[in-house]
Amino acid sequence: MNDSTTPLSGAAWRRLSARIAALALLLAGAAQAAVPGITGPGFNLSASASSISQPDGAVLYAWGYGCTVAPAGFLPSNPAANCPSMQMPGPTLIVKQGDTVTVTLTNALPLAAGPTSILFPGFAVCTATLNSDGSCTGAPSGSAGVLTQEAASGAAVTYTFVASKPGTYAYYSGTQSDLQIEMGLFGAIVVVPDPASAALPANCVARPSPQGDMRLAVAAYNQADSCYDREYLFQFSEMSSVIHEQVKAQVDACTSAPCAQMLANMEPYRPNYFMINGRSMPDDMDIAYAGAYPNQPYNGNPHMHPGELVLMRVIGQGHWQHPFHFHGNHARVLARDANMLLSQTPGSNKLAGPLLFTIATVSGQTVDAIFTWTGQGLNWDVYGSEPHSCNGKPLPAVAGDPGAQSAGFDPVSHEYCGDHGKPFPVTPPDPSIVVNGQWYGGTPYIGLQSANPTPEAPGTLNQNPQAGYAYMWHSHNEREITTNDVFPGGMMMMLLIDPASWSIDETQ
């Protein structure tokens, strides 16, 4: 970090370290390994005010979308799942390709906020009657705004569109957008391929899981290269507490209509809180729907097994572009704004998206990408004693069968074959230089005690019974991995690569 970062006091550092250690103990047995959201195709949303919390103890006044009535359901199923009247980001709307989606928005914001609305980029939206031929007829609901029909204070507006194309989409306020998005009025839509479609890839392998198949679909698109095993949604946003304080003062000052138009000093824009899915590190690594964050239900806590294909759904929801950097491997881009990047060669339908180690989360843009990690290049068998096969052949108990260790990757498990049977060769570092805790650092060889022929004695380095790898996923802008200028915080989380024997609980 540079010298401008405010250092933590000794007491503050101890409090933050204790909190991170407590979260690490919690997360050793918990993960959110699917995109949490609510199902439709009809949604009744409200825009209202409440507050969100930050790891530095701040409670910030904010606005957000939420549910006016209970949604049709939650995916994945979770006994703790909820949709409050205000949350940030707004509820993720999960629909099927071909669905006619109806969103009714009630404006429950304070009087001073004035009208509000929702934009749905990528869809042909009707605010009147959507006919079967796609035409929109009749009187529109709501009142006319600059970009779309709006809901006046206490009133409602209805939007209807056909989810014609699978992919990841953003939705956000179309009324005084610079301010209302800053206040928290944004969310995501996931359109999954129609499971009955003949265009859906037939070669996607269903991964076994103790909780069953937790994916929203077997593929992100109707294209073979979009098969995946796990999926995560990452919404990057930032906020300025100064602007939120200005808005709160105007809300408190106006108790009856008419109110003056809401104004705030948006420039120069100096945000001091940076969030993934509405939370800052370490809160984003807690479980989804944790009671400590009643208006911030979504987390950022990716888990995977070696060789699995992880679908990353990434959205820039703020004013600024945030460089999302993921350690461990590059990711293959599938699509931008739900438009697949395919080869232009005649007759070819192959994926042509770039390999990136950083995704620029451009404001309002969505990116779908596939990430995987196989251990290739480490030069030892990251699967250790776990049962596995390579190229369809089981690994012998005694290494030496070259037929079972052919170069390349197993087409089913995606494991790297060249290192099968190679023992764990490294000498762990001196325990005195390693951070204490459930995860330990100071070495790229995190965990893997089960694969070490001479595991460390309990209480030294054998502090990670999960025996996994941990990689930091974060903003590559140094200031954005702070919370109110204090490091660590902000847009930071950990990818945990768990051994095949470790059950990733996808219900949490």
Side-chain angles (χ1 to χ4, degrees):
M1 301 302 297
N2 58 40
D3 293 338
S4 64
T5 300
T6 303
L8 283 170
S9 67
W13 178 260
R14 286 191 294 274
R15 287 195 299 270
L16 181 56
S17 297
R19 188 171 188 182
I20 294 173
L23 275 174
L25 288 169
L26 171 67
L27 297 175
Q32 172 60 50
V35 173
I38 62 176
T39 59
F43 301 94
N44 292 283
L45 302 184
S46 63
S48 60
S50 189
S51 60
I52 64 169
S53 65
Q54 287 290 324
D56 63 352
V59 177
L60 304 177
Y61 176 76
W63 300 344
Y65 297 115
C67 293
T68 58
V69 297
F74 294 91
L75 282 177
S77 178
N78 185 328
N82 62 81
C83 184
S85 59
M86 177 274 183
Q87 65 175 69
M88 196 187 82
T92 298
L93 313 181
I94 301 172
V95 297
K96 185 172 77 277
Q97 182 182 6
D99 281 350
T100 297
V101 180
T102 300
V103 178
T104 297
L105 171 67
T106 299
N107 183 354
L109 293 171
L111 282 172
T116 191
S117 61
I118 305 180
L119 295 177
F120 299 93
F123 301 105
V125 178
C126 175
T127 56
T129 300
L130 180 63
N131 302 310
S132 58
D133 63 358
S135 62
C136 183
T137 58
S141 67
S143 55
V146 175
L147 298 177
T148 186
Q149 292 295 111
E150 301 176 334
S153 181
V157 60
T158 298
Y159 308 95
T160 305
F161 57 88
V162 175
S164 57
K165 200 169 57 171
T168 305
Y169 299 81
Y171 70 88
Y172 44 83
S173 173
T175 305
Q176 203 173 353
S177 296
D178 58 341
L179 179 60
Q180 293 200 3
I181 293 174
E182 159 70 27
M183 293 302 295
L185 291 175
F186 59 83
I189 303 175
V190 175
V191 180
V192 300
D194 182 354
S197 171
L200 191 67
N203 60 342
C204 297
V205 178
R207 294 282 171 182
S209 168
Q211 294 84 38
D213 191 347
M214 304 298 288
R215 297 172 296 181
L216 297 181
V218 298
Y221 293 88
N222 293 316
Q223 211 270 353
D225 290 334
S226 68
C227 301
Y228 64 92
D229 302 309
R230 301 186 190 277
E231 61 184 313
Y232 296 94
L233 174 62
F234 305 106
Q235 301 184 67
F236 284 72
S237 66
E238 74 291 320
M239 67 169 48
S240 164
S241 60
V242 172
I243 293 175
H244 289 242
E245 290 165 2
Q246 293 175 11
V247 169
K248 183 64 165 61
Q250 294 174 72
V251 166
D252 291 343
C254 181
T255 57
S256 61
C259 299
Q261 182 182 15
M262 181 74 68
L263 297 174
N265 297 324
M266 301 300 297
E267 296 293 342
Y269 185 53
R270 296 192 178 100
N272 54 337
Y273 290 98
F274 303 93
M275 294 159 289
I276 299 173
N277 295 337
R279 301 186 194 173
S280 299
M281 180 269 182
D283 297 352
D284 59 359
M285 296 188 293
D286 206 341
I287 61 174
Y289 305 110
Y293 329 100
N295 299 315
Q296 300 153 275
Y298 302 148
N299 64 354
N301 183 27
H303 284 234
M304 65 178 292
H305 291 140
E308 291 182 332
L309 305 175
V310 175
L311 173 61
M312 304 164 63
R313 301 182 184 268
V314 183
I315 308 179
Q317 296 282 27
H319 292 273
W320 282 2
Q321 175 177 306
H322 305 286
F324 178 21
H325 179 57
F326 28 89
H327 291 240
N329 202 356
H330 288 59
R332 174 72 71 182
V333 175
L334 295 177
R336 289 192 178 98
D337 293 328
N339 295 306
M340 288 206 74
L341 304 181
L342 300 175
S343 170
Q344 297 302 301
T345 302
S348 173
N349 193 37
K350 292 187 177 299
L351 187 66
L355 276 170
L356 299 179
F357 63 86
T358 300
I359 292 175
T361 59
V362 178
S363 297
Q365 186 182 76
T366 73
V367 175
D368 294 323
I370 295 288
F371 175 94
T372 191
W373 186 94
T374 64
Q376 181 182 11
L378 296 181
N379 202 35
W380 74 81
D381 189 349
V382 298
Y383 300 85
S385 59
E386 309 299 340
H388 54 267
S389 64
C390 204
N391 293 332
K393 300 176 66 175
L395 181 72
V398 178
D401 177 0
Q405 300 181 53
S406 304
F409 297 88
D410 187 274
V412 175
S413 69
H414 307 292
E415 299 174 71
Y416 179 61
C417 304
D419 290 336
H420 275 322
K422 292 183 180 179
F424 187 67
V426 300
T427 301
D430 186 325
S432 65
I433 68 170
V434 175
V435 177
N436 292 324
Q438 193 76 1
W439 302 335
Y440 74 84
T443 169
Y445 315 125
I446 296 178
L448 285 184
Q449 295 298 326
S450 64
N452 191 340
T454 56
E456 298 295 320
T460 56
L461 288 184
N462 193 16
Q463 299 168 4
N464 185 3
Q466 200 163 333
Y469 288 80
Y471 286 102
M472 185 189 299
W473 284 16
H474 61 102
S475 169
H476 233 195
N477 181 332
E478 289 185 345
R479 183 168 181 251
E480 295 177 358
I481 52 176
T482 67
T483 293
N484 204 13
D485 292 331
V486 175
F487 172 85
M491 295 171 171
M492 184 189 303
M493 56 192 164
M494 302 297 291
L495 165 70
L496 296 183
I497 302 172
D498 302 317
S501 60
W502 187 270
S503 174
I504 298 175
D505 186 352
E506 297 192 85
T507 64
Q508 300 191 45

